Amino acid sequence: MQGDTLVINVHNSLDVYTSIHVHGLLNNGTNYYDGPDMVTQCGIPPGESFTYVLETNNQFGTFWIHGHTRHQEADGFYTPLIIHSRKQPVIVYDEELLMTFEDWYTGEFYVRQAYIDSLNDARTLTPYYSKALINGYDGNKTAPITFVPGKRYRLRIICMSINNWFKFRIPGHRMTVIEADGVESMPLEVDGLSMGPGQRYSVIVTAHDLADFNYIYNVTSYSRFITDQQGLQPIVYTGLIKYKDGAPTKNIPVVSDNQLVWPEEAQLQAHDKQPQLPVDRQIGLTVKRFSNIHYVPFSALGSSLYKSVLVPTLYTALSMGELAKNSSVYGPQTNAYVLKHLEVVEIVINNPAIEDHTFHFHGHNVQVIETGPFGNSSTIDREPVPRILSGPWPMWRDTVQVRAFEFI
């Protein structure tokens, strides 16, 4: 519940270090509980325990918890977290339901990574195509979602994936966005959701008045990191919206995505109606793609890859005195920026690459001000995108999409 203290006791039964991150919790004043290994803490050693004491303060909404050491979130180390509000929601509803989307690979992350690193020429690698889980089950085997005629439902939807994007629709129903990443939004009616790794939405769906038909929902899983392959990428999963046992399934004509309304990052408006903040400083970041001598690809922000440090960055900041204001003390491999207290920073992320990316801001919500085209998109099959400026109350969120050949 909003305002509660969340105490998480973690005992590490693995044979490697671990840690956890509550994705979306701000941890203002307690960032030593944020979780990234060798950034805000040392990993929890095998056989040892660590207690996270997390203040929810005024936060409420849809979050998730995942491992933040050795890419353990890629091996299923995650769970949803719902913090309920003490006030009335944007739209009053009768019942709430939770849906989670996950990509699922065979073999542990580090086993797959070690195999890729062992190749003399990674260009010969057969791509790792993932399956998808919906509510923890094989995408086509998820239990039906039951709708009672006339009821209004809040669907909390969490994209707990590592590489894959998900599109979600319930043909024959409209949905109204009321929350993104734990922040309430002004109501926005859409046909479906397009979600990158780490993003969350709450939508209101009103059931039809009659139970004459059942309906099919669609979940499409895809990744820009690998080439399309019939039956493997993308994959469309379906599930049942059940109004009545034995009722026929409504036949809804197929409509292409570009004829439908999807929520755009800069289109959402914050329910608190806070205007755009005045900016003190701008930082520009550009996604760059590298390959090593064995053609293993990497992506980075800036001219070099981030590499883990020997001492957690937070410990360095707390122990270096005035030198903590000098970015060089954090090591050249961290690409560190030092900010002033309460400084308002405008961050522009440019993505001239062919892959979509999401960016999660630990400990911060950011106002999404603008999105638009960047670079040459003629190398991919995608319609040119318009420049979109936010309205008077830019949406706050902690995880943003930067699609191929776009900026945010």
Side-chain angles (χ1 to χ4, degrees), residues 205-380:
V205 180
T206 301
H208 297 306
D209 291 331
L210 301 176
D212 296 344
F213 295 96
N214 295 327
Y215 292 79
I216 298 295
Y217 69 78
N218 300 323
V219 177
T220 302
S221 173
Y222 67 98
S223 174
R224 292 283 181 186
F225 292 89
I226 54 178
T227 56
D228 288 356
Q229 179 70 35
Q230 182 68 31
L232 296 173
Q233 152 81 11
I235 304 179
V236 178
Y237 296 90
T238 59
L240 185 67
I241 301 292
K242 185 178 70 175
Y243 279 80
K244 185 172 67 174
D245 287 331
T249 301
K250 181 75 170 180
N251 184 22
I252 306 290
V254 176
V255 179
S256 64
D257 285 356
N258 59 12
Q259 295 178 280
L260 301 171
V261 177
W262 308 86
E264 296 290 342
E265 303 272 327
Q267 183 184 19
L268 290 169
Q269 297 283 281
H271 190 257
D272 66 5
K273 295 185 177 180
Q274 184 173 358
Q276 180 180 337
L277 299 177
V279 174
D280 300 315
R281 175 184 175 188
Q282 185 186 84
I283 294 175
L285 302 171
T286 298
V287 177
K288 293 192 176 180
R289 190 172 173 84
F290 305 87
S291 294
N292 65 15
I293 60 173
H294 301 297
Y295 302 100
V296 176
F298 302 93
S299 291
L301 282 176
S303 58
S304 61
L305 295 172
Y306 172 85
K307 295 180 181 179
S308 184
V309 293
L310 298 178
V311 176
T313 300
L314 178 61
Y315 297 4
T316 301
L318 294 175
S319 62
M320 292 300 292
E322 284 297 311
L323 286 176
K325 299 177 183 179
N326 187 332
S327 62
S328 64
V329 304
Y330 303 103
Q333 76 274 33
T334 65
N335 303 310
Y337 289 86
V338 177
L339 308 179
K340 297 178 181 178
H341 185 231
L342 298 181
E343 187 175 31
V344 178
V345 181
E346 181 179 82
I347 300 175
V348 181
I349 305 175
N350 302 308
N351 183 16
I354 63 172
E355 303 98 351
D356 298 339
H357 292 273
T358 57
F359 291 86
H360 172 50
F361 295 86
H362 282 240
H364 296 79
N365 287 323
V366 298
Q367 289 183 311
V368 181
I369 304 301
E370 181 182 5
T371 62
F374 182 85
N376 180 14
S377 62
S378 63
T379 55
I380 61 173

Side-chain angles (χ1 to χ4, degrees), residues 35 49 64 71 91 101-102 113 120 159 202 216 284 288 307 323 329 336-337 352 364 367 377 405:
S49 300
W64 61 304
H71 297 283
I91 296 177
F101 303 148
E102 310 157 43
Q113 186 65 53
N120 289 324
C159 186
S202 282
I216 298 295
K288 293 192 176 180
K307 295 180 181 179
L323 286 176
V329 304
Y337 289 86
H364 296 79
Q367 289 183 311
S377 62
F405 301 106

Side-chain angles (χ1 to χ4, degrees), residues 87-107:
K87 64 178 185 178
Q88 184 169 292
V90 175
I91 296 177
V92 177
Y93 53 88
D94 299 302
E95 186 178 342
E96 67 176 57
L97 303 169
L98 176 65
M99 295 190 73
T100 60
F101 303 148
E102 310 157 43
D103 48 9
W104 188 257
Y105 297 85
T106 56

